[in-house]
Amino acid sequence: METIGTPFQPNLVAPTKAATSILQCPRCESMRIEKKDYGRKAGGIIGTAAGTTAGFAGIASGANIGATAGLIAGPLGAALGGIAGALLGGLIGGSVGCATGAKLGEVIDDTVFDNYVCLDCGHTFGNHHT
Ligand SMILES: [Zn+2]
C-alpha cells in the first residue's frame, strides 16, 4: 500500500508575508495596490435584480392585500393600495437582495478572483492562499 512517492511540499511560493494589514505587489513589491471588487459590485447588481424579481413575485399577493385593504376606501383606494403593495415588495426585495449579493460578492472577491491590482506594474493577484 506504499503509493506515496515524494512528500507533499506546499512551499512553492513563500507565504511568509502577513496577508492581513499591508498589501504589497508580489511582483514589484509596490505598495500602490487597488482593490477591484468586481464580485462585490456584480453581486450587488445581481442581488438587486434577483431581490427585485423576488420582491415583484410577491407583488401579486402584496398588490392583492393592498387592493383588498384599499377597497374599503373605494376604487381609488384599491388602486393606490395595489400600487403601494407592489412598490413595497419590489423595494424591499431589491434592497435586501443588494445587501445579500454584495456580501456574497465580497466573499467571492476574497476567495476566487484576483481582487487586487498593482498600480505600478499592472499585476493582478488575489488575497487567497493556495
Ligand atoms: Zn507591481
Side-chain angles (χ1 to χ4, degrees):
M1 289 299 198
E2 294 290 324
T3 47
I4 301 163
T6 49
F8 180 61
Q9 293 201 336
N11 289 327
L12 292 172
V13 185
T16 42
K17 283 173 198 153
T20 42
S21 52
I22 303 160
L23 279 168
Q24 204 172 24
C25 175
R27 185 194 275 171
C28 71
E29 298 193 340
S30 165
M31 307 277 269
R32 295 172 61 212
I33 304 300
E34 196 167 82
K35 240 182 146 189
K36 292 191 287 189
D37 281 342
Y38 287 152
R40 193 174 194 283
K41 286 165 190 161
I45 294 162
I46 293 164
T48 305
T52 308
T53 309
F56 275 114
I59 279 174
S61 52
N64 274 337
I65 294 164
T68 308
L71 267 178
I72 301 161
L76 187 67
L80 286 175
I83 292 163
L87 276 177
L88 270 178
L91 279 175
I92 294 168
S95 55
V96 168
C98 179
T100 312
K103 260 279 163 285
L104 201 74
E106 250 175 73
V107 176
I108 293 168
D109 274 335
D110 284 344
T111 50
V112 180
F113 290 131
D114 289 339
N115 194 34
Y116 302 97
V117 59
C118 172
L119 295 176
D120 283 327
C121 72
H123 181 65
T124 56
F125 58 100
N127 199 17
H128 41 88
H129 315 276
T130 31

